[in-house]
Amino acid sequence: MDRMDPANTAHTAGAMPWEDLVPAALLGTDRRGGAAPEAVLDAAAVHTVRRRAGLRAGAVAEPPEAAPPDERARLPEPARRRLGQLLAGRAAPAPAGGRRGAAPDVAELLPQWLAAAGLHGYKAPASALPALLDAARARTDLRPLALAFAGPRGLWLARQNPEWRFALRGAAGGAALPPTDDTEQVRRLWDEGLFAERVALLAAVRAEAPGAARELLASTWATERAEDRLMFLDSLRAGLSDADEDFLETALTDRSRNVRATAAGLLSALPASALAARMADRAASCIALDRTGDRTGDRSALVVEAPHECDAAMQRDGMVPTPPPGRGERSWWLGQLVESAPLSCWPARLGGRSPAEIVALPVADDWQPELHAAWCRAAVRQGDAAWSRALLGSPSTSSLAERAKLLATLEEDERADWVAGFVSAHGLSEAFQLLGVCAVPWAGPLGRAVVDALDIARDAGSYPWSFSGVMGLAERCLDPAAAPQLEALTTLATESEDASPGAAGYWSEAFQRLVSTLRLRAAMHAELAAP
């Protein structure tokens, strides 16, 4: 096809309006307008220049304010390089075939590195802030540590990028909170601030002056929305004391059922509160000591008479009248009463027995599971270590979730010793959830028990992939000083006939990864401790 004459092209381009060009381009020149294809393209070029030239210039945006200073110490150079490796490793692709290999999983070490850097009081390098915010956006479990490390400059940067707006939630919109002792500024922010700002302010004041935070909340309580009252009320868990009782008693009459239930839960965690006394009276009327066995030479037993109703007074004290599907009403009411009663009421009620002696008593009519489960919840809520020990030793406490919560009430060393004994007696198949509540690094007896159990599983030819979760925990939680003692386990063991195919190679690879990860963790901590 011959090219059109330039004069005709220019004329056609000027004559064809823009609104005709789009249909001609979409439908074809044969169906719309009859113009040659070259003429349509030339016309589009001419109109594009005209449209661009005719655009009005946008207003010049004001430059953002300067980033606030961060007075914390700078990272040592080796630690700065390590942070870059950890952040880069976060985005590394997974190994082919799902096999992890012998190299450490650096992405899983990032939380531990951030926690250690925070303890040393370091600030994040400016160049690392974008990758750090991206990591926090991708993993919610990283956010508290990452944002604390990023500091005020991280919040400043987050305001410049909509993808990082998550960092501003709960952080007073990224603005600095007023000093908690500046009553005028605190009052102004509490009265005029956004919800996130008020939540952050209340938490900050509560940490410094619990009574002042309670008075601040009480001053606007009647005008707050129900969902906001619930969030604000939950902040009283920090620093909860008997001084909060009057305010919480007022909240028991709140319009919102969720607010009433939260207030009742907080009051039941105060053993000296009036609500706890009311619950103790109700619970004590349901449980008694049957001494008939003493006269016949048998052991005493507990007898249970569950409540026959959940009256208005019980509901005011936070009890929920309607049970969930599959639960009977009376057992549901009994459980709520017992878990809300102070544990200190039971020794006097049951013949001066200790918690361990009470838990050991048989319970008539198959009420033991319900009763012990309620005592477990009470021990966790009230942080009672004596009752937790007793219930951990009870055969009826078989739930791993219950055991993990009870363990959390014990001191770190006692917790580690208990889990070490559990691992030695039962192996690792049920220990994962319990290991998760132990302090890091694991104490010596616990670390040895876990390694011994892994070695036994390897020698027994067990299916190796079923222990990958515990092995991952060991990489993050074992004391790095244990690395030299683990070298012998990295060798390729002889595979027995009944072992899973390829198990020996997997175990060798897993122990190599464990040793290299422990050494990497030791290097991380040494770098952070460097002057």
Side-chain angles (χ1 to χ4, degrees):
M1 181 183 293
D2 295 332
R3 292 283 298 174
M4 293 182 64
D5 182 72
N8 288 336
T9 299
H11 174 75
T12 304
M16 184 178 292
W18 176 266
E19 54 268 21
D20 290 343
L21 282 174
V22 176
L26 292 174
L27 300 176
T29 54
D30 292 340
R31 297 177 60 187
R32 286 293 294 230
E38 292 86 349
V40 172
L41 294 175
D42 289 340
V46 171
H47 277 297
T48 298
V49 173
R50 287 175 177 171
R51 288 167 67 86
R52 289 178 177 174
L55 288 175
R56 294 183 179 182
V60 177
E62 290 291 331
E65 77 281 5
D70 191 339
E71 304 299 336
R72 293 176 294 176
R74 295 179 59 183
L75 272 176
E77 184 58 25
R80 188 194 64 77
R81 291 195 297 269
R82 181 72 67 190
L83 174 61
Q85 294 171 1
L86 295 176
L87 289 171
R90 181 188 66 84
R99 190 155 178 166
R100 292 181 56 193
D105 186 351
V106 296
E108 290 304 314
L109 297 181
L110 182 56
Q112 195 169 120
W113 189 96
L114 290 171
L119 290 175
H120 283 283
Y122 291 125
K123 65 182 176 182
S127 60
L129 287 174
L132 193 63
L133 290 170
D134 279 341
R137 180 167 64 97
R139 286 180 57 176
T140 56
D141 63 310
L142 275 180
R143 289 182 184 178
L145 291 170
L147 295 180
F149 182 56
R153 294 185 302 174
L155 293 178
W156 174 88
L157 189 61
R159 293 201 297 273
Q160 319 307 321
N161 185 347
E163 290 188 351
W164 296 331
R165 290 285 176 174
F166 70 88
L168 307 179
R169 301 185 197 120
L177 294 172
T180 55
D181 57 355
D182 188 333
T183 55
E184 184 177 348
Q185 289 191 53
V186 166
R187 186 74 243 184
R188 182 181 301 112
L189 184 58
W190 179 252
D191 290 337
E192 302 174 5
L194 300 174
F195 176 68
E197 294 174 327
R198 300 178 74 212
V199 170
L201 177 67
L202 188 63
V205 176
R206 183 70 173 177
E208 296 290 333
R214 184 180 61 252
E215 292 170 5
L216 197 65
L217 180 55
S219 68
T220 59
W221 180 258
T223 60
E224 304 287 356
R225 299 184 306 167
E227 55 268 33
D228 294 351
R229 293 198 303 276
L230 184 62
M231 181 74 76
F232 291 143
L233 191 63
D234 198 60
S235 71
L236 298 186
R237 293 185 191 279
L240 183 67
S241 71
D242 292 336
D244 299 315
E245 181 180 0
D246 289 344
F247 177 78
L248 293 172
E249 276 283 343
T250 301
L252 287 177
T253 61
D254 195 86
R255 301 183 301 276
S256 166
R257 185 179 69 179
N258 289 334
V259 172
R260 295 196 302 270
T262 300
L266 291 170
L267 283 167
S268 67
L270 298 173
S273 68
L275 179 138
R278 294 193 295 270
M279 289 299 195
D281 289 341
R282 293 172 180 137
S285 68
C286 297
I287 299 168
L289 188 64
D290 181 5
R291 299 181 181 276
T292 56
D294 288 341
R295 293 190 293 271
T296 61
D298 299 326
R299 296 175 58 195
S300 297
L302 296 178
V303 291
V304 175
E305 180 66 26
H308 291 273
E309 64 174 342
C310 183
D311 59 31
M314 295 162 72
Q315 294 181 45
R316 178 190 178 276
D317 284 346
M319 288 186 56
V320 179
T322 305
R327 288 288 300 274
E329 283 186 335
R330 297 184 66 197
S331 64
W332 171 244
W333 298 333
L334 176 72
Q336 293 181 80
L337 284 180
V338 173
E339 72 176 273
S340 299
L343 291 165
S344 57
C345 75
W346 296 113
R349 172 70 176 169
L350 302 176
R353 289 172 169 81
S354 68
E357 291 170 333
I358 292 172
V359 169
L361 288 170
V363 184
D365 301 326
D366 298 324
W367 279 105
Q368 185 181 63
E370 184 68 49
L371 181 58
H372 282 202
W375 275 336
C376 283
R377 296 192 295 272
V380 171
R381 180 182 293 182
Q382 297 171 36
D384 194 305
W387 276 87
S388 293
R389 290 187 201 100
L391 291 160
L392 281 166
S394 169
S396 64
T397 309
S398 57
S399 163
L400 291 176
E402 281 182 341
R403 284 174 170 168
K405 291 176 181 178
L406 292 169
L407 282 169
T409 68
L410 305 181
E411 295 293 333
E412 290 180 1
D413 289 346
E414 184 179 0
R415 196 185 315 163
D417 287 344
W418 195 95
V419 178
F422 182 91
V423 170
S424 298
H426 303 285
L428 293 168
S429 60
E430 297 182 348
F432 185 82
Q433 195 167 0
L434 304 179
L435 289 168
V437 300
C438 294
V440 178
W442 287 337
L446 176 57
R448 289 191 293 273
V450 171
V451 172
D452 288 347
L454 287 170
D455 192 20
I456 291 170
R458 181 189 66 162
D459 291 344
S462 300
Y463 191 64
W465 294 274
S466 61
F467 295 93
S468 59
V470 174
M471 187 66 79
L473 268 182
E475 292 167 18
R476 299 188 295 275
C477 302
L478 269 177
D479 190 332
Q485 289 74 40
L486 297 173
E487 283 284 0
L489 300 178
T490 63
T491 57
L492 187 64
T494 303
E495 198 166 279
S496 61
E497 293 182 359
D498 56 348
S500 302
Y506 174 89
W507 281 111
S508 174
E509 198 174 78
F511 280 117
Q512 290 175 40
R513 184 174 62 250
L514 175 59
V515 171
S516 59
T517 302
L518 293 179
R519 288 182 171 151
L520 176 56
R521 286 174 51 210
M524 282 169 30
H525 287 284
E527 292 159 359
L528 287 167

